[in-house]
Amino acid sequence: MRIVCLPHAGGAASFFHSWGKAFGGGIEVMAACYPGRQERIAEPCLDSMAPLADAIAEELIPFLDLPVVFFGHSMGASLAYEVTLRLQNEYGDRIAGLLVSAREAPHRTTPKTIHLRDDEGLIAEARRLGGTDSALLDDPGLRELVLPALRSDFRIAGTYRALEPVPVQCPVFGYVGEQDTVKAADMQEWSQVSPGGFGLRVFPGGHFYLVAEKDELVKDIAGRIG
């Protein structure tokens, strides 16, 4: 089986580096590297959900020789949902689960204008949320490299909303931190796109509970997909 991890706004594939061998030999962990960061730094960023979901779905097709579980955190949860919708008609038997973390249900997201702030306002929000390497934000040279991707991601997250709760065919399970601004009640709305049932686990911590609670989270995921 494969777990495909989709990072948060401003996040990178390296955020999930420590997950690489955490599940043992029977599960391969993959993480998406969005355009405009890390080894794709020279590529133009995408700033709307549809083209990003289209691109990831297309890239994943060769990897659907094994069952795939998606794990998406924050913006990545919305993206994981959209990728699942794009793949499920033809490859639904290959998608074993959708795990969503710290994000409102796709039809319940509310518009946000963080991407319209100036650079300092954008950086302040990234610091508040966590999840972006502080060294990248502190160094003026590095900050200039990451700001375009950060702004594009916040635009995706802030402007995305599904018009209706289109159901997915795979099981859906949610995770959230008990001190997050995204509440358990918000996460429960994912049940509207999960006709097969929806479950939720609340961890200690805030929006990036999954850093301190990584071991427990990995254990819980392994128990659900094993």
Side-chain angles (χ1 to χ4, degrees):
M1 180 176 289
R2 293 187 170 102
I3 297 177
V4 176
C5 300
L6 301 175
H8 52 281
S14 57
F15 183 81
F16 294 100
H17 179 77
S18 65
W19 289 35
K21 296 180 177 169
F23 292 90
I27 298 176
E28 180 182 17
V29 179
M30 301 172 62
C33 179
Y34 306 146
R37 66 214 74 196
Q38 296 188 306
E39 64 266 27
R40 304 184 69 184
I41 191 71
E43 299 180 37
C45 300
L46 299 176
D47 59 6
S48 61
M49 182 66 76
L52 184 57
D54 290 343
I56 290 176
E58 183 68 25
E59 289 293 327
L60 279 172
I61 290 173
F63 297 97
L64 297 177
D65 56 320
L66 294 176
V68 165
V69 171
F70 291 108
F71 178 90
H73 179 66
S74 197
M75 180 192 83
S78 297
L79 181 56
Y81 168 75
E82 289 292 333
V83 172
T84 300
L85 291 182
R86 284 157 171 74
L87 293 174
Q88 69 179 5
N89 285 343
E90 190 169 353
Y91 302 99
D93 61 334
R94 300 283 84 191
I95 302 174
L98 173 61
L99 307 178
V100 292
S101 170
R103 178 70 164 166
E104 300 94 338
H107 57 295
R108 297 296 189 192
T109 58
T110 55
K112 298 178 179 64
T113 58
I114 298 165
H115 61 286
L116 299 178
R117 298 179 185 178
D118 62 16
D119 289 350
E120 291 305 316
L122 201 67
I123 291 168
E125 181 65 11
R127 291 188 191 280
R128 185 188 71 82
L129 290 172
T132 302
D133 188 344
S134 61
L136 297 177
L137 301 177
D138 293 338
D139 184 293
L142 294 176
R143 187 166 56 213
E144 290 303 311
L145 291 176
V146 302
L147 271 171
L150 192 63
R151 190 173 299 280
S152 294
D153 285 359
F154 274 122
R155 186 182 189 281
I156 293 173
T159 58
Y160 168 77
R161 186 174 189 179
L163 296 178
E164 57 182 338
V166 180
V168 296
Q169 299 166 6
C170 63
V172 182
F173 195 87
Y175 299 96
V176 71
E178 61 184 351
Q179 281 89 45
D180 198 349
T181 54
V182 179
K183 302 303 182 186
D186 300 319
M187 296 295 299
Q188 287 290 349
E189 291 291 325
W190 281 93
S191 64
Q192 299 299 308
V193 300
S194 181
F198 174 75
L200 176 68
R201 180 166 177 185
V202 180
F203 280 95
H207 195 63
F208 281 91
Y209 72 90
L210 69 174
V211 175
E213 299 294 329
K214 187 207 83 173
D215 291 344
E216 274 301 309
L217 177 59
V218 165
K219 181 180 177 181
D220 190 275
I221 292 173
R224 294 184 191 284
I225 68 177

